[in-house]
Amino acid sequence: MTFAVLVQYLLPHRALSRVVYWATRWTWRPWKNFLIGQIVDRYKVDMAEAAQPDPFAYQHFNAFFTRKLKPNARHEDADPTALISPADGRISQAGRIVDGHIFQAKGQDYTAAELLGDEAAAAPYRDGDFVTIYLSPRDYHRVHMPLGGTLRETVHVPGRIFSVAPFAVEAIPRLFARNERLVCHFDSPHGPFVAVMVGAVLVSSVATVWDGLVIPPYASHVRRKSFEGQGITLARFAEMARFNMGSTVILLLPPGMIELDELKPQQTVKLGQRLGRRPLPTD
């Protein structure tokens, strides 16, 4: 075990995240400009894409981190049958769910039931497909709909707040099924699908367009919230949520719903880019 991985086990995750949550919302100009400048310089953030291109015009660091893009900075794939990338980032892994198991990294996997916190909810995805996308600090941190759908339920699953950077994903068993996360269940005309917002070390904060800030507070037990009958329907490419600091989004799809394109680990993807498409009907 490397020192960096060992530290992940030793850190007081939630206490540290609470401190960072406050620090990233401090409006004192020298402080917030220092943090913003560090990220812009270190990660070569392209501020020309932002609706507000001046990085130091943001009220605080979190406002910069969750910045809007210019209206035409991203484009939705023109194919109406396409599954689109819900975010900017890199493909961590993608492919088939094998007998309920999702590949994390070489020698590492976890189950859909563990990820969703529910054996029955995982059943439709037992031999389906998944896409895991890692958002780095340089990326746009709003998550959009990969398909059009109606929100059925959210499930806030408690857990640790390990880093989701590649070094941690490769070393920490069942990482995505251990981190605090928000599971969003949707129904579409072509079947159900799930978008899982996985928290990460330092803040682990998630907000949705329908419920505002959901994490924190951090959960001590599984929290379910039904939205059936409320008519919360979002079009493909519409914003659905945002990460207040970097993290990972995982999509689960039932068997046969989507034929994924050839997606390779560490492949860069942009919001709206095609990841696959619905199969053509056969006679």
Side-chain angles (χ1 to χ4, degrees):
M1 182 183 293
T2 66
F3 177 74
V5 173
L6 176 62
V7 167
Q8 292 297 310
Y9 286 96
L10 298 178
L11 284 174
H13 290 181
R14 290 189 173 183
L16 187 59
S17 292
R18 288 186 178 98
V19 170
V20 176
Y21 181 91
W22 173 82
T24 55
R25 286 162 176 76
W26 193 14
T27 58
W28 188 46
R29 186 176 297 275
W31 170 252
K32 61 98 174 176
N33 285 357
F34 169 75
L35 292 182
I36 292 170
Q38 289 292 305
I39 294 296
V40 170
D41 292 343
R42 181 175 179 180
Y43 292 98
K44 311 302 180 187
V45 178
D46 184 4
M47 292 303 298
E49 296 182 328
Q52 170 50 269
D54 179 1
F56 303 118
Y58 292 91
Q59 179 185 13
H60 46 59
F61 179 83
N62 191 65
F64 154 76
F65 207 78
T66 58
R67 61 195 175 275
K68 290 183 179 180
L69 296 180
K70 290 178 179 176
N72 295 317
R74 298 290 180 272
H75 298 281
E76 177 184 13
D77 190 276
D79 182 354
T81 70
L83 170 78
I84 64 169
S85 177
D88 287 0
R90 291 182 180 274
I91 299 294
S92 177
Q93 297 292 340
R96 184 61 52 84
I97 301 170
V98 180
D99 195 25
H101 288 258
I102 301 171
F103 185 68
Q104 177 176 302
K106 185 177 181 180
Q108 309 282 3
D109 67 13
Y110 56 95
T111 68
E114 290 174 323
L115 180 68
L116 304 185
D118 188 320
E119 190 78 42
Y125 309 101
R126 184 175 183 84
D127 294 297
D129 297 282
F130 78 96
V131 181
T132 304
I133 299 173
Y134 166 65
L135 289 73
S136 77
R138 77 182 305 273
D139 292 316
Y140 170 62
H141 277 80
R142 301 190 182 201
V143 177
H144 293 233
M145 294 289 286
L147 298 165
T150 299
L151 181 67
R152 177 174 14 108
E153 181 184 40
T154 61
V155 183
H156 180 179
V157 185
R160 298 294 299 273
I161 317 176
F162 292 114
S163 170
V164 292
F167 82 89
V169 172
E170 292 172 3
I172 299 176
R174 302 171 36 257
L175 185 151
F176 298 124
R178 296 169 71 177
N179 271 18
E180 192 118 0
R181 56 204 179 274
L182 184 71
V183 179
C184 304
H185 292 274
F186 291 93
D187 291 315
S188 82
H190 305 282
F193 66 93
V194 175
V196 183
M197 306 281 289
V198 182
V201 69
L202 303 184
V203 180
S204 181
S205 180
V206 175
T208 65
V209 299
W210 55 81
D211 238 3
L213 187 66
V214 180
I215 307 174
Y218 301 116
S220 58
H221 60 277
V222 174
R223 296 173 178 169
R224 300 179 181 278
K225 188 170 183 178
S226 175
F227 292 89
E228 292 207 61
Q230 296 189 32
I232 301 176
T233 299
L234 301 173
R236 189 184 73 164
F237 198 60
E239 183 182 339
M240 61 166 284
R242 67 185 67 172
F243 285 115
N244 299 309
M245 295 296 276
S247 202
T248 292
V249 59
I250 302 174
L251 305 178
L252 301 188
L253 306 152
M257 183 178 178
I258 294 290
E259 293 178 347
L260 292 180
D261 294 341
E262 185 178 353
L263 302 172
K264 298 179 179 179
Q266 302 308 310
Q267 174 184 336
T268 300
V269 292
K270 293 290 188 181
L271 167 64
Q273 175 182 332
R274 171 178 147 164
L275 302 179
R277 67 188 302 273
R278 291 199 307 276
L280 295 174
T282 56
D283 296 331

